[in-house]
Amino acid sequence: MAAPRKIACVEIGGIPIALSTSDDRFLDLLRQRYQGFLSSSRPEFELEFDLTPTGPASDDDVRVRRDGDEWLLERGDFHARWDPRTGRGSVRQNANPYSLDSVLRILHSLILAQRGGFLLHAASAICGGRAYLFSGVSGAGKTTMTRLAPADITLLTDEISYVRPSADGYAAYGTPFAGELAKSGENCTAPVSALFFLEQGPENRVDELPPADAVRRLMRNILFFAEDRRLVEKLLDTACHFVSRVAIRRLTFYPDGKVWDQVRNFHGVPEHA
Amino acid sequence: MPENCIYITRSSAIAARALAGEMMVMNSVDSTFFTLNEVATAIFQAADGHTPLREIVRDRVCGQFDIDPEQALADAEQFVAELSSHGILLVSNQPLASEAP
């Protein structure tokens, strides 16, 4: 007889997903890893995990493609199917938490793409009730910005920002997806005030970006894996809309705490409003 | 009809949007992303599969931009080859059925 399944409901970005497993140790891992994001909300989606022998996370490229009505998510260390009509899916993976994070990120990226949101390779934080996103290539300073943050700043993530449309623009949510800081973000949300593309330099300065350049930078940093033209079209629409509603700038910064004064005093408007 | 006619059409695997005079194109297969300038956008938009590239350059590029026709055609062929290598445009020496939805 199969062992009974136990469930941890993990709510990231206001989207509760039930993760079920018959393995008690994996359940403990789930609960520890997503502590702060566990929820008693009614799940919108369900994923059933079946574990394979433990192994490392894979450096293989991920593939996300349609298989009939289902999505097929594959990498060397996991194989998952998800049916967006029923909201249910199954995952075969080892107990590696990085594999788990990857599956969840891909699932959220698919859900968000349909809903006009996205996951962005960016740190984000709340300052004065507004969310600020800091994106850029590896080494541009995302983790540095979060390390330099004053005590009154609420860290949403140092690695993967979660963005959804809201009644008056876009909102950023905290995520448990940590980067170098190895620290989960706070589970809270705020309206997005600005997105900064980071570059380190000799002084702190904010420069405007032409809309097309902003969209190009944005698209290059959105986490999106699906080989699906309709979803890509939707994502491109979302990126254009985001640029029209949110101030997007290049932030050149010298890595000391004064850069946060620049952020705190920023009152920009979208270039393409 | 010249023997070296080139016909181009847009791949069905791409998404494209115009913003502030530039065309943004993304390939859904490998997520490669391109922004096209005005001249490239004119060629991209005229890629219907049955108008030879030479005609597109003559009517849509030389007719609107101050460019030497031979240089414009050479530049267009290079541009088409690059986008073709990324799966954005399909190229043939015979007319093509339009792939764009």
Side-chain angles (χ1 to χ4, degrees):
Chain A
M1 195 173 89
R5 289 192 163 272
K6 294 172 184 169
I7 292 174
C9 183
V10 176
E11 185 168 349
I12 304 167
I15 298 175
I17 301 178
L19 310 178
S20 74
T21 176
S22 54
D23 186 298
D24 286 340
R25 281 191 299 183
F26 190 63
L27 186 71
D28 286 344
L29 184 148
L30 285 172
R31 287 178 172 157
Q32 284 171 22
R33 189 155 190 87
Y34 301 120
Q35 192 179 24
F37 291 84
L38 296 173
S39 166
S40 56
S41 302
R42 181 189 173 96
E44 284 189 56
F45 304 102
E46 292 179 46
L47 281 181
E48 287 188 2
F49 283 83
D50 284 311
L51 299 184
T52 57
T54 301
S58 169
D59 288 333
D60 293 350
D61 285 341
V62 66
R63 276 205 79 187
V64 181
R65 57 192 169 88
R66 288 265 188 193
D67 183 23
D69 291 322
E70 293 186 328
W71 284 102
L72 197 56
L73 291 53
E74 293 176 300
R75 201 173 66 181
D77 53 335
F78 60 76
H79 178 98
R81 303 185 80 88
W82 180 65
D83 187 337
R85 297 168 309 169
T86 63
R88 302 187 64 151
S90 59
V91 185
R92 276 184 64 76
Q93 65 156 79
N94 59 49
N96 189 316
Y98 300 107
S99 309
L100 175 62
D101 269 5
S102 295
V103 170
L104 270 188
R105 284 200 293 247
I106 294 168
L107 181 57
H108 276 282
S109 75
L110 291 172
I111 296 167
L112 282 175
Q114 290 285 6
R115 298 183 179 188
F118 51 84
L119 294 180
L120 185 66
H121 197 56
S124 48
I126 299 174
C127 174
R130 309 282 297 178
Y132 296 86
L133 281 61
F134 307 94
S135 187
V137 296
S138 291
K142 296 186 289 295
T143 304
T144 304
M145 280 298 294
T146 56
R147 284 198 175 116
L148 293 170
D152 64 325
I153 302 298
T154 302
L155 177 66
L156 295 174
T157 174
D158 75 326
E159 180 75 3
I160 307 292
S161 290
Y162 200 110
V163 178
R164 291 183 65 177
S166 60
D168 56 352
Y170 285 84
Y173 294 74
T175 77
F177 306 127
E180 284 178 43
L181 216 55
K183 182 184 167 197
S184 181
E186 295 294 325
N187 188 2
C188 54
T189 182
V192 177
S193 188
L195 162 61
F196 295 107
F197 286 100
L198 296 175
E199 288 176 18
Q200 295 195 33
E203 60 180 358
N204 297 324
R205 57 181 282 180
V206 174
D207 293 301
E208 295 180 354
L209 286 171
D213 191 14
V215 172
R216 181 176 57 79
R217 289 171 183 248
L218 180 59
M219 289 297 290
R220 287 189 173 155
N221 285 282
I222 287 177
L223 273 75
F224 186 74
F225 315 91
E227 299 168 20
D228 185 272
R229 185 183 56 79
R230 284 184 187 162
L231 220 47
V232 168
E233 282 185 337
K234 174 82 176 157
L235 194 64
L236 203 45
D237 284 339
T238 296
C240 293
H241 186 254
F242 184 83
V243 168
S244 74
R245 298 297 301 269
V246 174
I248 300 184
R249 300 288 189 274
R250 177 172 56 229
L251 173 60
T252 307
F253 77 104
Y254 183 77
D256 67 23
K258 288 179 185 168
V259 65
W260 276 97
D261 295 336
Q262 200 91 22
V263 174
R264 211 183 286 277
N265 295 325
F266 178 76
H267 300 291
V269 295
E271 277 297 289
H272 195 58
Chain B
M1 184 181 296
E3 282 184 5
N4 62 347
C5 264
I6 295 172
Y7 297 88
I8 55 174
T9 189
R10 298 185 290 276
S11 164
S12 62
I14 61 161
R17 293 290 182 272
L19 180 69
E22 292 188 55
M23 182 68 72
M24 282 158 288
V25 184
M26 189 164 177
N27 187 335
S28 62
V29 175
D30 59 8
S31 295
T32 48
F33 184 77
F34 301 87
T35 48
L36 309 184
N37 63 21
E38 274 185 285
V39 175
T41 297
I43 296 171
F44 178 83
Q45 288 179 318
D48 58 9
H50 57 78
T51 306
L53 180 61
R54 184 179 290 274
E55 278 186 40
I56 292 173
V57 171
R58 184 192 66 202
D59 297 343
R60 303 295 187 92
V61 179
C62 297
Q64 295 182 32
F65 304 94
D66 184 21
I67 303 174
D68 172 68
E70 288 308 312
Q71 184 61 49
L73 183 60
D75 290 347
E77 286 175 349
Q78 190 178 349
F79 157 75
V80 164
E82 186 182 348
L83 285 198
S84 169
S85 72
H86 290 285
I88 303 293
L89 289 175
L90 305 181
V91 183
S92 173
N93 56 6
Q94 295 182 347
L96 292 155
S98 177
E99 278 215 342

